[in-house]
Amino acid sequence: MLIALSVIAIAAAWVMLLLRVDPVPTWFYVFAWYPTLVLFDAVGTHLDGRPSMLWRRPMIYVFLWSPVVWFCFEIANFRLENWYYVSLPHLPWERWCGIVLSFATVVPAVLLAERLLDAAGLFQRGRGPVLTMRSWELNCAIAAGLAMGALSLVYPRLFFPLIWGAVFLVVDPLIFRAKRSLSLLGDLSKGYWGRLGRLMLGGALIGLLWESHNYWARGKWIYTVPWLEELKLFEMPPFGFVGFPVFTLEAWSMYAGLCLLGVAAPLEGTAVLKRGRMMLGMLLALALSAATLVGMERLTISSTVPRLSDLPGVNPSNQLAFKNANINSTFDLATADPNELTVEETMPIHEATALVQTAQLATTRGIGSRHVARLVELGIENVCELSRQDPGTLFSRIVRAKSAARPNEAEVRVWVRAARRTCPLD
């Protein structure tokens, strides 16, 4: 039953996305991923007959701590500038709730994908070399992880990939020393490579799902990875998919570290939860989450859904024309025929054409109404005019005498590149 219901829910999310039924296009990731988690769990239960993982009490902690785990990488991205977010809701409380709900799926997806592959029989005989973990080797791994993390943050343009793997090299050896049963290195010290293999394969699979869901959504993230901005599979440079299997190891170890600290419950074995530590941990988690969300508002959230009323050139007198043409959003206006707005002479054709072109500009790669207003001030009033700009020069013109963190130069390159796909240069 759960398998059928989750498939129906996923299909419904896709249908509402294609039909542009709000708020699904903005929060498609949420609408698609929660039933996907149910599907993973239901299929795994069907295959191996073991009790559901999703409905166990420890999963509450997984969902609660998942946003905190991902926020650590969001903080790193403030320096790396490898991705940014577009077309999120206008109301801050709605943005923040949606972000937390989205990030709450990350660690559950990692754990449920591994469980599903285990139920399917993959790598159950995953015996391999027994790795002897000497103290000096653990120290070297920790030092290497710290060095990788430092290099990625100090010289992000050159060493940004090193952030993926740095956390695992630091955290898992520390867990190994304290409680081997929670450590992936503990598995390898017994010659058992199966869980590591399933986590990495699961990471590759859910990475493809993450990126495919993101690609079609309206509210989404866009990558600006150095040297890899033009070649993309969905929104991700193909090379970037290598990071997903490594990230799953980090997510596993970070959650295991929280279990070791006594603020989260492991999915296997007995939980030793410490109330005092849990209270302190939750307070620190809330502080970290709030600080990260504030940072995202300034550094990585580029635009909100462009409202009709916020578009340059739109005034209250246009409402009758919009109503007659059944235009309820900027996205409707961007696909409208300007002649539809001139019915009953409610708007001159030149004004209607200008508004449609402005809407098309605002909906191009999530530029949004705030950035469009700045572009219009600079004399760039449609997508084809944007396509003729030099990204570096345009960036300098946009940020001149402004202190706002957005847009950055890579983001402007995204805009111009998208405009050139619509209006190729001669």
Side-chain angles (χ1 to χ4, degrees):
M1 177 64 74
L2 282 178
I3 294 176
L5 289 175
S6 56
V7 170
I8 291 170
I10 294 168
W14 278 100
V15 170
M16 288 188 285
L17 171 71
L18 296 175
L19 295 177
R20 297 193 301 189
V21 178
D22 286 325
V24 174
T26 301
W27 292 123
F28 177 65
Y29 184 95
V30 173
F31 282 93
W33 257 105
Y34 278 92
T36 299
L37 296 180
V38 176
L39 181 62
F40 284 178
D41 184 67
V43 172
T45 299
H46 175 75
L47 289 175
D48 64 13
R50 290 183 294 173
S52 164
M53 174 185 287
L54 185 60
W55 310 112
R56 295 183 199 171
R57 186 175 180 181
M59 281 299 293
I60 296 173
Y61 296 94
V62 179
F63 280 100
L64 287 175
W65 283 104
S66 178
V68 180
V69 168
W70 181 253
F71 279 145
C72 294
F73 295 95
E74 286 293 335
I75 293 170
N77 189 50
F78 294 162
R79 173 63 175 164
L80 300 178
E81 295 187 338
N82 282 176
W83 66 85
Y84 65 95
Y85 298 92
V86 299
S87 299
L88 300 189
H90 276 270
L91 297 175
W93 70 265
E94 186 180 354
R95 280 199 301 276
W96 287 25
C97 288
I99 288 169
V100 170
L101 281 174
S102 298
F103 294 168
T105 66
V106 174
V107 179
V110 170
L111 302 184
L112 289 168
E114 190 274 334
R115 184 272 169 99
L116 174 59
L117 294 176
D118 186 31
L122 271 70
F123 307 126
Q124 287 185 341
R125 298 182 180 179
R127 304 297 299 181
V130 175
L131 298 187
T132 302
M133 305 295 173
R134 301 178 180 88
S135 180
W136 70 268
E137 291 172 325
L138 296 174
N139 290 337
C140 286
I142 294 170
L146 292 172
M148 289 166 59
L151 284 171
S152 66
L153 296 176
V154 175
Y155 302 105
R157 186 164 181 81
L158 289 176
F159 297 108
F160 64 90
L162 298 183
I163 198 68
W164 309 109
V167 176
F168 174 75
L169 288 176
V170 174
V171 174
D172 210 71
L174 295 174
I175 298 172
F176 178 83
R177 281 177 165 160
K179 191 172 183 179
R180 294 189 181 187
S181 62
L182 291 175
S183 166
L184 291 173
L185 291 178
D187 286 353
L188 305 188
S189 70
K190 301 173 185 177
Y192 176 56
W193 292 68
R195 181 157 54 184
L196 183 142
R198 289 191 298 272
L199 282 169
M200 297 189 74
L201 177 58
L205 296 176
I206 59 179
L208 284 170
L209 281 177
W210 276 330
E211 295 302 328
S212 64
H213 288 161
N214 176 63
Y215 180 76
W216 299 105
R218 178 186 297 167
K220 63 196 301 181
W221 60 85
I222 294 175
Y223 292 103
T224 53
V225 179
W227 316 310
L228 301 171
E229 292 179 5
E230 297 193 31
L231 182 62
K232 298 283 185 73
L233 175 58
F234 302 123
E235 291 290 350
M236 170 69 84
F239 175 76
F241 283 92
V242 176
F244 286 113
V246 179
F247 166 70
T248 57
L249 305 184
E250 295 184 305
W252 173 279
S253 294
M254 291 172 76
Y255 185 74
L258 293 168
C259 295
L260 182 63
L261 291 173
V263 297
L267 295 179
E268 299 175 359
T270 57
V272 183
L273 297 175
K274 301 178 181 180
R275 181 172 298 181
R277 288 192 181 185
M278 285 181 61
M279 294 297 295
L280 178 59
M282 287 297 178
L283 289 174
L284 292 174
L286 287 172
L288 175 70
S289 299
T292 306
L293 288 166
V294 170
M296 290 176 67
E297 290 286 333
R298 175 171 173 78
L299 298 173
T300 54
I301 296 176
S302 176
S303 67
T304 57
V305 175
R307 297 179 295 190
L308 282 172
S309 59
D310 293 335
L311 290 180
V314 171
N315 55 63
S317 65
N318 301 140
Q319 297 306 313
L320 179 59
F322 293 153
K323 182 178 179 180
N324 290 339
N326 196 30
I327 292 172
N328 300 307
S329 71
T330 301
F331 298 92
D332 293 337
L333 181 58
T335 58
D337 182 345
N339 292 307
E340 297 175 359
L341 299 172
T342 63
V343 176
E344 300 180 4
E345 299 182 351
T346 54
M347 186 183 298
I349 185 63
H350 71 274
E351 183 180 348
T353 300
L355 289 179
V356 169
Q357 290 178 340
T358 301
Q360 291 170 345
L361 191 58
T363 56
T364 296
R365 296 297 275 164
I367 290 177
S369 53
R370 177 167 61 95
H371 296 316
V372 159
R374 184 63 176 157
L375 292 175
V376 170
E377 288 176 5
L378 297 174
I380 301 168
E381 299 180 345
N382 58 61
V383 174
C384 290
E385 288 177 359
L386 177 61
S387 72
R388 292 190 286 270
Q389 305 299 311
D390 173 73
T393 303
L394 177 58
F395 171 71
S396 298
R397 294 175 66 197
I398 291 173
V399 302
R400 188 172 296 153
K402 292 188 69 178
S403 60
R406 302 230 72 85
N408 60 30
E409 189 168 2
E411 189 172 340
V412 174
R413 289 197 295 270
V414 169
W415 298 351
V416 174
R417 192 177 300 115
R420 288 176 180 174
R421 286 195 290 268
T422 302
C423 297
L425 298 176
D426 295 333

